[in-house]
Amino acid sequence: MEALMMLLRTTLELGLVNSLVVLALFLSYSMLNICDLSTDGCFTLGATVGAAVAIAGHPFLSIPAAMAAGMISGFVAAFLQTKMGINSLLAGIIVNTALYSVNIAAMGGSSLLNLNRTDTVFSRMKTALDGTFLAGGHKLIFGILFTGAVLVLLSLFLRTRLGLAIRATGDNTDMVKSSSIDPSFTTTVGLCLSGSITALSGCLLAQSQKSANIDMGSGIVTVALASLLIGRVLVKRGGIPLKALGAVAGAILFRLVYTVALRLNMPAFMLKAVSSVIVIIAISTPYLKEKFPMLKRRLAARRESRRTGKGGPDA
Amino acid sequence: MLKLKDISKTFNPGSPNAKLALDGLSLDVAPGEFVSIIGANGAGKSTLFGAIAGEFVPDAGRVIIDGADVTLEPQHRRAKNIGRLFQDPMRGSAPGMSIEENLALASGRGGWFGSVKATDREFFRERLSQLGMGLEDRLKHPVGLLSGGQRQALTLVMATLNPPKLLLLDEHTAALDPATADKVMELTDRTVREGSLTCLMITHNMQTALSFGSRTLMMDGGKIIFDTSGEERKQLTVPDLLDKFREAAGKALDSDRMLLTDD
């Protein structure tokens, strides 16, 4: 029982930290309709910058610093696609590649930073909670706190005129222009925000696991996308807050399934393959559903022509 | 209100597909004028709207709206003064957002961080009720659920929520079924007259071109070849218009679509 509770708590902690990346994608992928492939590097950027600032002795500054770094990364990705004529997928990949160097630089040339003896917001909280009934719950508290705050702020933001403009940019760019709003501006704001949320997630994960390394973010865009798409299945209709909540639930559910799979002896390295398969299924299902009736007719026609011994309609 | 001076535009210059879409076109539209524009496919009608709205910068000439030279202004900045409807009813609104959210974005009220207030909602309801389509009771419905006619009517409301200096209608009823097209055209006429809007309307329907508005232009080869208003226009019939075209362009109007529409 004790072990099960521990397991559930770890799942929830990791699910909540991951759900921040999912919320970032909720903004860039679901709202702006941009698949931001710089997410991987941006996540690591949050981790490395946050860790470096914490090691330098500023545990509280580490979080805004990581978010600011993520915002700059989002800005560059947006700039490349709105002002430099670079395709959005390519812009993401280019930024992602550049971030590898930036991340190594942020870690002072090493590919790993150890935070075991570093004063972080997590260690502060842990000390503060020692002896109370919440002892050991610092990771969970941070997870709930940050996810809740981002969820609420994001939902409120998407109701403002700027938020509506960002949603419309992904929905109908023409209409944004005719509302006298520059779509490159809304794209930039959206990607800056999603970048800062992604980096926040990376920063929190590094501090909670007491280390940052260069590979932390690799594949996280697919994992988060899988969670986001699971969330869409969970919450099919409803307003933005509900859908955002669905994204968080998707992240937690994904983590839960993953934990159960690990218990059932699935090797840990399978995580990314499983995420990829989930993303493939989720995105291709509607497409295949649409194609299916035509495929059925074609097969029936082929059977028919074979039965009658004649060629198809064009024979 | 609108002044075009010697506008020229060639698409794909220097290539085998080069096309002179606007050929030194000049036009002066007075405030409150409702101008209908007809012409065969490729006459440059939509390109003319593109030049006014700022989709591209013309190769030569100037675009002046309400006294201000906007030739080099980007599209989204000009949009403040221009309302525009397209043939495709899906182009004017965001399907994933609710009617209310679409209107809120079009209204431009409350600054970047403002959100829809009760007074805004009342205003939207009132404007929508004028359509007589029951949309005022569906503020929270996603726009994607509306029919083409409803979406075009909504776009009309969005485009005129803040009275624009210029309303551009690009065959905005052509994709609708005849009954809906009549309804939307009637709404358009009322909106333009009530708001005393300056309006340019492209249509393929010659009868519509003559029955609505106060001035009719005929375009061919990127030029205005015939311009009529006042008493002369009141006397014109569709056959007259076809004759005028033959006279001015030196050839018969070769658009089947136009000839076959005779309601």
Side-chain angles (χ1 to χ4, degrees):
Chain A
M1 200 59 206
E2 187 83 342
L4 187 67
M5 286 309 287
M6 267 304 285
L7 208 64
L8 268 182
R9 207 176 72 188
T10 322
T11 305
L12 208 54
E13 285 163 6
L14 285 170
L16 283 169
V17 169
N18 264 337
S19 72
L20 287 171
V21 190
V22 182
L23 285 172
L25 286 196
F26 179 71
L27 184 61
S28 62
Y29 184 78
S30 300
M31 299 289 122
L32 271 178
N33 204 11
I34 290 172
C35 193
D36 182 8
L37 292 182
S38 66
T39 301
D40 288 8
C42 189
F43 184 83
T44 315
L45 179 70
T48 57
V49 169
V53 174
I55 288 172
H58 306 287
F60 291 102
L61 196 62
S62 69
I63 290 171
M67 289 179 77
M71 198 174 274
I72 294 169
S73 149
F75 179 83
V76 174
F79 187 80
L80 293 183
Q81 54 193 282
T82 57
K83 301 288 181 203
M84 306 291 275
I86 298 174
N87 166 291
S88 76
L89 290 176
L90 190 57
I93 293 171
I94 291 171
V95 171
N96 197 44
T97 308
L99 282 175
Y100 186 89
S101 310
V102 174
N103 287 330
I104 298 273
M107 293 192 285
S110 120
S111 61
L112 182 86
L113 279 187
N114 194 320
L115 297 171
N116 270 327
R117 270 179 260 286
T118 308
D119 191 19
T120 68
V121 278
F122 280 82
S123 65
R124 290 269 178 105
M125 186 72 147
K126 187 169 187 293
T127 326
L129 291 178
D130 264 346
T132 70
F133 72 103
L134 284 170
H138 57 287
K139 288 183 185 174
L140 197 56
I141 290 175
F142 268 121
I144 294 173
L145 213 65
F146 279 101
T147 308
V150 170
L151 186 68
V152 170
L153 290 176
L154 191 62
S155 301
L156 286 176
F157 172 70
L158 287 171
R159 282 176 49 186
T160 64
R161 185 158 167 267
L162 181 56
L164 289 179
I166 287 176
R167 290 172 56 196
T169 306
D171 215 11
N172 184 350
T173 317
D174 276 338
M175 179 236 176
V176 175
K177 282 188 209 157
S178 56
S179 308
S180 41
I181 296 165
D182 184 0
S184 9
F185 171 67
T186 49
T187 303
T188 307
V189 173
L191 287 185
C192 283
L193 281 180
S194 78
S196 71
I197 300 172
T198 304
L200 169 66
S201 178
C203 170
L204 292 179
L205 185 67
Q207 303 203 4
S208 100
Q209 70 183 24
K210 292 180 188 148
S211 77
N213 72 69
I214 193 68
D215 291 325
M216 275 177 76
S218 97
I220 194 120
V221 67
T222 313
V223 174
L225 209 49
S227 310
L228 183 70
L229 297 170
I230 292 173
R232 274 196 199 169
V233 175
L234 294 177
V235 179
K236 284 214 173 72
R237 51 197 72 230
I240 295 293
L242 204 62
K243 283 187 177 147
L245 195 64
V248 174
I252 293 169
L253 187 66
F254 180 86
R255 203 71 220 183
L256 191 67
V257 171
Y258 175 63
T259 311
V260 171
L262 283 184
R263 282 266 126 178
L264 297 174
N265 290 329
M266 182 188 82
F269 60 76
M270 287 304 287
L271 169 73
K272 276 154 196 170
V274 172
S275 323
S276 302
V277 171
I278 292 178
V279 171
I280 293 171
I281 293 174
I283 295 181
S284 63
T285 305
Y287 174 80
L288 293 177
K289 244 188 210 160
E290 198 181 300
K291 291 277 164 194
F292 186 64
M294 195 59 211
L295 194 69
K296 222 163 80 180
R297 275 180 61 185
R298 233 180 244 151
L299 285 176
R302 191 174 300 166
R303 257 200 311 277
E304 179 66 19
S305 71
R306 207 172 287 148
R307 196 174 59 80
T308 57
K310 290 182 194 135
D314 49 1
Chain B
M1 187 53 77
L2 170 70
K3 203 174 272 203
L4 301 178
K5 281 189 189 160
D6 302 316
I7 300 280
S8 289
K9 174 71 189 176
T10 304
F11 288 112
N12 308 311
S15 82
N17 293 323
K19 161 128 182 85
L20 179 62
L22 292 176
D23 185 5
L25 184 146
S26 292
L27 175 66
D28 213 325
V29 180
E33 247 183 337
F34 183 171
V35 184
S36 59
I37 303 171
I38 49 177
N41 289 340
K45 301 173 304 248
S46 294
T47 312
L48 171 68
F49 276 17
I52 299 171
E55 260 170 37
F56 54 82
V57 178
D59 303 332
R62 300 205 295 150
V63 181
I64 295 157
I65 295 175
D66 201 13
D69 190 330
V70 297
T71 316
L72 298 176
E73 255 189 25
Q75 195 180 354
H76 66 269
R77 199 156 309 148
R78 280 188 221 188
K80 220 171 282 169
N81 297 321
I82 299 177
R84 194 174 183 197
L85 268 71
F86 297 94
Q87 181 172 349
D88 180 2
M90 309 302 157
R91 227 172 128 175
S93 44
M97 291 161 59
S98 68
I99 295 181
E100 175 181 295
E101 288 167 340
N102 271 278
L103 285 166
L105 203 51
S107 81
R109 293 179 163 197
W112 282 122
F113 294 100
S115 52
V116 183
K117 295 186 189 64
T119 50
D120 298 328
R121 212 164 277 141
E122 207 39 59
F123 174 60
F124 297 158
R125 253 198 212 110
E126 184 222 311
R127 293 299 297 266
L128 287 172
S129 67
Q130 290 168 7
L131 298 176
M133 288 179 166
L135 294 184
E136 63 276 17
D137 301 320
R138 299 172 64 184
L139 280 181
K140 302 279 180 197
H141 286 219
V143 164
L145 297 179
L146 304 184
S147 71
Q150 288 171 329
R151 271 183 85 165
Q152 201 64 308
L154 174 67
T155 311
L156 180 67
V157 172
M158 287 167 60
T160 55
L161 211 50
N162 304 313
K165 287 182 176 164
L166 208 55
L167 181 62
L168 303 179
L169 308 169
D170 190 348
E171 300 212 37
H172 69 304
T173 63
L176 309 175
D177 68 80
T180 315
D182 286 348
K183 165 108 189 150
V184 171
M185 194 54 232
E186 188 260 322
L187 285 169
T188 308
D189 189 44
R190 214 177 60 208
T191 311
V192 171
R193 272 188 291 119
E194 279 172 7
S196 312
L197 299 176
T198 311
C199 175
L200 271 69
M201 173 177 75
I202 297 173
T203 175
H204 64 270
N205 186 323
M206 305 192 113
Q207 193 54 58
T208 306
L210 289 176
S211 340
F212 294 94
S214 54
R215 180 177 172 190
T216 298
L217 303 178
M218 210 180 241
M219 284 186 70
D220 188 59
K223 286 186 174 119
I224 294 168
I225 57 166
F226 182 61
D227 181 348
T228 179
S229 56
E231 278 310 308
E232 182 198 28
R233 180 172 179 270
K234 280 194 190 126
Q235 309 299 325
L236 281 180
T237 61
V238 172
D240 293 339
L241 220 47
L242 289 170
D243 284 342
K244 292 281 180 197
F245 184 90
R246 200 171 300 129
E247 218 173 274
K251 62 181 181 195
L253 192 51
D254 58 352
S255 165
D256 292 345
R257 192 165 64 126
M258 272 209 269
L259 295 175
L260 292 173
T261 336
D262 62 351
D263 50 316

